[in-house]
Amino acid sequence: MIASSHNPNCFESAAWRGIRGTWQQVYGSFPNEGVSVEWHDFETPTELNWAESFHDDSLELCLNLCGSGTITQRSRSLALGDFTIALYRGDGAELTAARSASGHHRFATVELSRDYLQKQLADCPREELHPVVKGFLENTRRGVSAAVQPMTGPQQTLPLLFCEPPVPKAAQPIWFQARVLELISQVCFRPEVEFFCSRQKRMARERVEKTKAVLAARLDQPLDLDAVARQVGCSSFYLSRTFSQEAGLTMAQYLRRIRMEKAAELLLTGRLNVTEVSLEVGYSSLGHFSKSFCEVIGCCPTLYPHARHLVMPRR
């Protein structure tokens, strides 16, 4: 059964009944504030009627990390795949939506009311808005009611940050407000005409950001350049060259650095010893781990919790 932090009488509960996994509201309240951020992590044995969870009078952004599905308006069907953002109206705009049976579904949704969007976009020219957003604000049934686009590198890391905001608890409401407005600015407007050179540079940056996210999620695994390149969507040769140009480090150097930074964080908690930390960040050899830690952080791992104020990580 899906674990939820929502009121069990909420209409959305019916949509997730019988699903194994997590459904959690992490920010806001759609009925009270006109904005809600929710995290979903589940598997479904049968096709799920996802549209049952859509709020009336809402515009929703789905940041889909993994799991496939479709959003259909009359005869027009859009495929939702890994690392895509779906923008759709949940206000009865003749939409159906389904999540595929089997497989793992992990995504965040940002749900926005018409009043909330009207307030945020009051000074923006309507002709510059995305057609889905423009139609929603004007409350017309004409035109498209859904769209799907690829996620950028920074957008791919955002759903996980929603679960663990990188700021003190007291600052989290401000942090969430800023992230929601940032997403609105990125997704709810018509894209500008992009020249070829600008597009190539943007794609290079986005591939590097996506690579960083992939590496951060695989700290305990050996670097497999071909596997990372397949996940990012380009050749291993191109990715290796682009990463070095954009990041100023080879992929192996970058991976070693973030492994050591993670190791330093784990050592400070005091919950793991040096050997356990070594294994946690992908080192089977304690000697190799200690050598890398000294080179990156500036002291040996056994001394780090007591000497951290005296060392400066080496970049």
Side-chain angles (χ1 to χ4, degrees):
M1 183 65 65
I2 200 158
S4 169
S5 63
H6 287 264
N7 184 329
N9 295 320
C10 176
F11 84 97
E12 288 183 78
S13 298
W16 309 114
R17 188 174 295 122
I19 304 303
R20 295 188 177 277
T22 300
W23 169 45
Q24 179 186 7
Q25 185 173 48
V26 294
Y27 170 71
S29 167
F30 185 83
N32 298 326
E33 302 172 37
V35 57
S36 177
V37 179
E38 299 174 6
W39 168 246
H40 310 262
D41 186 346
F42 63 85
E43 295 181 358
T44 174
T46 58
E47 185 176 88
L48 174 68
N49 183 2
W50 183 33
E52 287 186 357
S53 72
F54 297 172
H55 285 279
D56 289 336
D57 194 34
S58 73
L59 183 82
E60 300 193 5
L61 286 71
C62 174
L63 286 73
N64 198 65
L65 295 183
C66 64
S68 60
T70 56
I71 300 175
T72 304
Q73 179 191 17
R74 294 186 285 274
S75 60
R76 180 173 179 264
S77 186
L78 300 173
L80 187 68
D82 294 354
F83 299 113
T84 55
I85 292 184
L87 173 68
Y88 50 89
R89 294 171 59 174
D91 61 349
E94 301 180 5
L95 286 182
T96 60
R99 284 271 169 180
S100 301
S102 72
H104 197 167
H105 297 269
R106 301 180 80 209
F107 59 94
T109 55
V110 179
E111 302 164 349
L112 308 167
S113 73
R114 185 174 284 108
D115 288 344
Y116 178 89
L117 266 181
Q118 292 278 19
K119 180 179 178 180
Q120 303 303 326
L121 302 176
D123 297 328
C124 300
R126 289 291 172 90
E127 62 271 15
E128 297 298 328
L129 296 177
H130 192 288
V132 174
V133 180
K134 185 173 183 290
F136 173 71
L137 291 180
E138 295 175 351
N139 201 16
T140 176
R141 295 294 183 266
R142 298 190 302 274
V144 297
S145 294
V148 175
Q149 65 187 54
M151 295 171 74
T152 65
Q155 288 168 350
Q156 291 169 22
T157 63
L158 191 55
L160 299 179
L161 291 178
F162 282 156
C163 297
E164 296 185 18
V167 295
K169 188 172 182 178
Q172 288 181 12
I174 298 174
W175 183 87
F176 272 106
Q177 290 171 35
R179 299 291 77 76
V180 169
L181 293 177
E182 184 177 24
L183 274 173
I184 290 173
S185 72
Q186 294 169 348
V187 180
C188 293
F189 289 80
R190 290 182 181 274
E192 293 183 345
V193 176
E194 190 174 29
F195 294 107
F196 178 78
C197 291
S198 299
R199 180 175 181 273
Q200 292 298 100
K201 290 178 180 178
R202 175 182 59 78
M203 290 180 65
R205 289 193 300 269
E206 290 179 359
R207 284 192 171 115
V208 169
E209 290 301 318
K210 185 173 181 179
T211 300
K212 289 180 178 180
V214 170
L215 293 177
R218 300 163 49 117
L219 287 181
D220 61 338
Q221 301 176 36
L223 176 60
D224 186 337
L225 179 57
D226 290 336
V228 174
R230 284 195 299 272
Q231 194 164 350
V232 172
C234 62
S235 73
S236 56
F237 173 78
Y238 173 83
L239 181 61
S240 180
R241 183 183 63 183
T242 302
F243 190 93
S244 297
Q245 290 172 346
E246 292 288 328
L249 296 169
T250 67
M251 220 176 300
Q253 290 170 335
Y254 177 80
L255 178 59
R256 185 177 79 149
R257 193 184 83 186
I258 63 173
R259 279 174 165 172
M260 295 307 105
E261 290 173 349
K262 181 63 176 179
E265 291 178 12
L266 293 173
L267 288 170
L268 288 179
T269 67
R271 294 194 297 266
L272 303 176
N273 61 37
V274 174
T275 300
E276 291 169 331
V277 169
S278 172
L279 294 172
E280 192 74 16
V281 296
Y283 282 76
S284 57
S285 167
L286 184 57
H288 188 194
F289 168 72
S290 297
K291 182 175 183 292
S292 295
F293 192 92
C294 287
E295 290 175 351
V296 175
I297 302 299
C299 77
C300 67
T302 54
L303 296 178
Y304 178 73
H306 310 288
R308 64 184 185 276
H309 299 302
L310 304 177
V311 298
M312 179 69 68
R314 299 167 184 173
R315 299 290 180 177

